[in-house]
Amino acid sequence: MTLTIGIFVFDGFEALDVAGPFEVFSTAGRLTARQGQPPAFKPIMLSQFSQSVSGRGAFRVVPHGTIDHHPPLDVLILPGGVMDDANDEQVLSWVQAQQETVQLTASVCTGAFILGWAGLLPELATTHQEDQELLAATFPGTRISQQRFVDAGRIVTAGGISAGIDMSLHLVERLHSRELAEQTARQMEYDWKQQPPEAPPGDVGY
């Protein structure tokens, strides 16, 4: 069975917040296909509108679909970046609707603010180190962890930028197997920073 991973993109997204998870799930899918199995994962990019989207540093992508036209998703990933276009009523309604059907929703970096605006931020979460204080002030019901990612069940949040790769490998392990996650990290020649998914007592910044 192939799981569809939807990655939301918007003008001003952080490039590695998108490209890192996309590469993890794409590589994991290729590895399972190479073993004669259906690809474990199929990542796709989705935008609010159909035109190309420009991230930070003029990193441009052409989404595979829009939030109104896409296949059913198993996982939704919300990247960070310049968040002006992400705090949109149509986008937040879509995120809320997806949460009703996906296995889990994950954020990278300031993508945690999308979760908060949508009313989905868990009691314990994380974001980029420079934005942790603002996230805590904006959503006082959430405690902020210093870990690179926090697995709160159906909501998973990651710290800044490269932490999204560590979180995505964790999700490969959670949704498929540890063996595939380790194979994926080796294929990417990436030093996977693993950690317990639960934040220990006292590991809270704000």
Side-chain angles (χ1 to χ4, degrees):
M1 176 181 176
T2 300
L3 299 182
T4 300
I5 314 296
I7 304 175
F8 178 59
V9 291
F10 51 89
D11 284 332
F13 71 85
E14 184 68 49
L16 196 58
D17 287 9
V18 171
F22 192 98
E23 180 69 13
V24 168
F25 291 109
S26 175
T27 299
R30 290 199 308 272
L31 288 173
T32 49
R34 206 183 277 176
Q35 298 165 4
Q37 307 169 26
F41 304 100
K42 178 183 179 181
I44 60 173
M45 292 180 289
L46 304 171
S47 66
Q48 186 174 9
F49 308 108
S50 58
Q51 66 263 31
S52 64
V53 179
S54 182
R56 282 180 164 175
F59 185 90
R60 295 188 70 84
V61 299
V62 178
H64 301 90
T66 68
I67 61 176
D68 291 324
H69 296 93
H70 61 80
L73 304 180
D74 297 289
V75 175
L76 173 62
I77 296 180
L78 305 169
V82 180
M83 307 304 295
D84 297 349
D85 289 344
N87 190 3
D88 176 272
E89 183 177 348
Q90 182 185 18
V91 170
L92 300 181
S93 295
W94 173 73
V95 171
Q96 291 166 344
Q98 292 307 304
Q99 180 63 13
E100 297 296 319
T101 58
V102 296
Q103 294 188 35
L104 60 89
T105 300
S107 68
V108 183
C109 196
T110 51
F113 283 86
I114 303 177
L115 290 173
W117 294 325
L120 300 174
L121 198 63
E123 293 182 358
L124 184 67
T126 193
T127 187
H128 192 284
Q129 58 185 342
E130 293 181 355
D131 298 285
Q132 291 180 352
E133 187 172 1
L134 178 60
L135 187 69
T138 305
F139 306 104
T142 294
R143 294 178 298 126
I144 307 303
S145 171
Q146 300 299 309
Q147 288 193 338
R148 284 178 69 78
F149 63 86
V150 176
D151 187 331
R154 293 194 63 225
I155 300 289
V156 183
T157 56
I161 311 176
S162 66
I165 299 176
D166 296 315
M167 178 194 73
S168 297
L169 288 165
H170 167 73
L171 295 182
V172 169
E173 177 182 9
R174 176 175 157 180
L175 297 169
H176 189 279
S177 66
R178 182 173 186 84
E179 180 182 9
L180 180 58
E182 291 175 341
Q183 290 173 348
T184 300
R186 284 197 301 272
Q187 179 69 22
M188 292 174 59
E189 296 193 349
Y190 179 74
D191 182 14
W192 182 16
K193 298 174 182 63
Q194 303 176 49
Q195 64 180 32
E198 300 84 12
D203 185 28
V204 177
Y206 300 96

